[in-house]
Amino acid sequence: MTTHGDIRSRPSAGDRDLATMYDLAASSPEAALHLADLPWRLSSPSARTPDDTRCWEAPDGTLLGWAVLQFPWHCLDYAVR
């Protein structure tokens, strides 16, 4: 885990974070390129591998953004509040 000012950065906790990650993307559907298939994409092994994921949180634990390097699809999935 690293801290940048008040924002904390950490690897995803896998299954524990997936619903919150989807909810963040769904909160701005116009900015979520793959919202329809995001549940499927977040079920990939990459989304459960700490080395392939990163979450950014506010001091109160609110998820501010996340990124998953999706090797199976050769892309980067992400959402930012």
Side-chain angles (χ1 to χ4, degrees), residues 48-69:
R48 291 178 168 80
T49 305
D51 289 343
D52 297 337
T53 65
R54 186 56 70 192
C55 292
W56 292 270
E57 298 177 331
D60 67 359
T62 301
L63 187 63
L64 301 174
W66 57 264
V68 178
L69 183 57

Side-chain angles (χ1 to χ4, degrees), residues 5 11 35-36 41 44 46 63 75:
L35 191 57
R41 293 167 74 96
S44 77
S46 298
L63 187 63
C75 69

